[in-house]
Amino acid sequence: MATNPERAAIGRRTVLTAGVAGAVSALLGASGCAAGGGARKAGPALSAGTQAKIEGRIGVWSWDVAAKALKRLAPAFEQRHPGTSVDVVDIGYDNAYDKITVGMKAGKGLPDVLTIEGSRLPGYVGAFPGGLYDLTPLAGARQAEFARAAWKDVTDEHGKVFALPWDGGPCALYYRTDLFEKAGVDPAGIATWDDYVRAGERIKAETGRKLLVMDPQEDSMFPMLLQQQGQGYIRGGRIAVSDRQAVRAATLLKTLADKDLVAFEKGWDGLVSATKAGKVATTPYAVWWSGTLTDEMPELKDRFGVVPLPAFDQGGVRTANDGGSTLAVSGHSANARAAWAFVEFALANTANQVSMLKNEGLFPAYLPALKDPFVTAPQPYYGGRPVFATFADLANKVPPIEISKDGPKARDVVNRTVSGIVLHGDDPAKALTSAAKQIAAATGRSIAE
């Protein structure tokens, strides 16, 4: 997400989330069930057909470049609706979920509009019945306008809508054109992960470079490989970290490590520095990684291309998702109708969504915006290749997955397990079976077959 130097702060969300998640998960767990489980009393709802005047103050919480984008759009909204004022506050990512969770538990202190990442929203919907407005009568008709996976994040098990998707993180394979050319590897010929491994062996033999970076403590590849196969850590309410799909994903990672195709680097800074130094030939990552390349590695202009992720099977799914946010109306808003109008103005509008891609690097989950000429145009940094068009084509192919409040607990266990597999050669099936049992003990969930 984002262009300009703040992209790094957004990109680090994958790393920061682990730290924030523990405290927030504990609060959510103490407050009730996650989306998808148990009965839930109705919260506030906005009805369709009401022609109330849009006026008054609207408070908004967001962070980093997302806050900048909303601040930039606010004057146009105020001009469209005289008598309104939009106050966007950058609350910072590190403390965002502590603030939101405390406000929901207290039932006060929240603004009208909240930025909440798609992976976090289901937990809030389930744990705090009155925490967010039910927007179904107003937003439900827009379902086909948004990417499938992003829309699943904003709906509960009954199809009620609690936010609009904002940006997404469709994943593809960034590759170094110069290293591929030197090794005689055609990126278009990498259709499966088996092809990818073979290409990596050839690239290493011809150039001495490894294939990809992995953080051995905070792995992001395993959940990406799971989603590519249509699931997360939880499937149908059961723990799905030791089934066939999970073992297949972990076995791939072990193969890459065993063949010495992985550069192990710690954290976001390790990934950036290794890429900048040319230690690896590819990066399987989300669309927002492009902003880091253009901002922090301008000297590597013309040396990168993008193709879809390899599939597990010929003709299989070739993408996943990493990142993405939503805008929701706080259940304690005193001006909910105007708050919804601002959410709709910002996110269900092609011109505004494209402007956020141009100015802040926020890749739209709003499908009409992905047809804009800016998205399909050649990109100078990539030697004139239309890389955003690749991501736009993949956006609606991301498999929707189940998200649970128990995700942080599962992730902590899985991270330790994957570390043992890639660093110490642990058997994937045995290690993941143990991981599933640990998660079951911590959550009370059963294990998927």
Side-chain angles (χ1 to χ4, degrees):
M1 270 172 90
T3 52
N4 62 51
E6 293 195 36
R7 167 79 71 138
I10 299 295
R12 280 195 294 268
R13 285 181 179 181
T14 303
V15 177
L16 291 170
T17 294
V20 179
V24 176
S25 178
L27 285 170
L28 290 178
S31 303
C33 62
R40 186 170 64 238
K41 62 183 180 181
L46 282 174
S47 59
T50 303
Q51 299 298 318
K53 184 178 180 181
I54 305 302
E55 60 184 355
R57 178 187 175 279
I58 305 164
V60 183
W61 279 0
S62 194
W63 53 76
D64 298 319
V65 292
K68 284 189 173 183
L70 297 179
K71 288 178 181 179
R72 183 175 54 78
L73 294 179
F77 177 82
E78 294 168 345
Q79 185 175 15
R80 176 177 293 191
H81 298 286
T84 60
S85 64
V86 181
D87 180 21
V88 180
V89 178
D90 185 340
I91 60 173
Y93 182 76
D94 288 5
N95 300 315
Y97 292 108
D98 289 336
K99 290 178 178 290
I100 293 171
T101 303
V102 169
M104 286 195 181
K105 286 179 71 68
K108 60 183 180 180
L110 294 176
D112 301 285
V113 177
L114 294 168
T115 303
I116 302 177
E117 286 167 297
S119 61
R120 303 302 193 102
L121 188 71
Y124 282 110
V125 171
F128 301 104
L132 301 172
Y133 262 87
D134 176 359
L135 304 174
T136 309
L138 297 169
R142 292 192 174 277
Q143 177 175 354
E145 300 173 21
F146 290 88
R148 293 183 306 132
W151 190 260
K152 190 175 191 316
D153 289 344
V154 302
T155 58
D156 70 2
E157 71 275 19
H158 304 297
K160 290 184 177 181
V161 185
F162 290 89
L164 279 187
W166 185 346
D167 62 306
C171 295
L173 185 69
Y174 295 82
Y175 66 93
R176 281 284 297 261
T177 56
D178 52 341
L179 298 179
F180 270 61
E181 289 171 5
K182 185 175 181 179
V185 175
D186 179 6
I190 300 178
T192 68
W193 288 111
D194 288 339
D195 295 334
Y196 180 70
V197 172
R198 285 191 290 269
E201 292 179 294
R202 180 165 182 174
I203 290 168
K204 186 184 176 191
E206 297 294 331
T207 71
R209 313 300 173 87
K210 296 188 179 183
L211 195 51
L212 76 160
V213 171
M214 278 187 64
D215 183 338
Q217 297 177 342
E218 296 284 351
D219 167 61
S220 63
M221 278 287 289
F222 185 76
M224 183 185 77
L225 296 172
L226 275 186
Q227 181 169 26
Q228 193 178 7
Q229 298 177 85
Q231 68 184 54
Y233 296 137
I234 307 295
R235 187 185 73 240
R238 297 183 175 185
I239 300 160
V241 304
S242 60
D243 61 3
R244 175 182 176 274
Q245 290 85 350
V247 172
R248 199 175 191 190
T251 300
L252 170 61
L253 297 180
K254 184 176 186 299
T255 298
L256 290 165
D258 288 348
K259 292 180 178 293
D260 196 27
L261 301 178
V262 178
F264 291 105
E265 303 284 348
K266 187 176 180 180
W268 175 261
D269 292 339
L271 170 62
V272 172
S273 61
T275 304
K276 192 166 186 173
K279 291 183 178 180
V280 295
T282 73
T283 306
Y285 223 179
V287 59
W288 42 258
W289 175 243
S290 177
T292 300
L293 296 180
T294 57
D295 291 342
E296 300 194 30
M297 307 174 209
E299 71 278 10
L300 296 181
K301 182 177 181 289
D302 298 330
R303 296 189 190 180
F304 287 97
V306 175
V307 293
L309 289 179
F312 276 94
D313 298 302
Q314 195 74 34
V317 175
R318 300 192 62 179
T319 190
N321 188 80
D322 186 348
S325 299
T326 74
L327 286 181
V329 177
S330 167
H332 310 292
S333 171
N335 198 5
R337 183 68 56 171
W340 160 252
F342 181 69
V343 170
E344 189 175 36
F345 170 80
L347 305 188
N349 180 297
T350 293
N352 288 340
Q353 284 276 21
V354 172
S355 79
M356 289 189 282
L357 176 59
K358 289 180 179 178
N359 292 283
E360 288 85 26
L362 303 172
F363 194 80
Y366 186 60
L367 297 176
L370 298 181
K371 299 177 182 178
D372 188 86
F374 176 79
V375 178
T376 58
Q379 297 296 319
Y381 183 84
Y382 295 93
R385 299 176 184 87
V387 297
F388 285 150
T390 299
F391 288 106
D393 181 63
L394 294 171
N396 207 32
K397 298 175 182 177
V398 175
I401 62 171
E402 185 175 345
I403 298 172
S404 162
K405 72 179 178 67
D406 292 325
K409 295 177 183 177
R411 181 177 56 242
D412 289 344
V413 175
V414 168
N415 279 340
R416 293 194 298 269
T417 302
V418 171
S419 179
I421 291 170
V422 298
L423 292 181
H424 307 299
D426 293 350
D427 177 80
K430 292 180 180 178
L432 291 173
T433 296
S434 175
K437 291 177 180 178
Q438 293 175 57
I439 298 168
T443 64
R445 294 179 182 269
S446 59
I447 299 172
E449 296 296 330

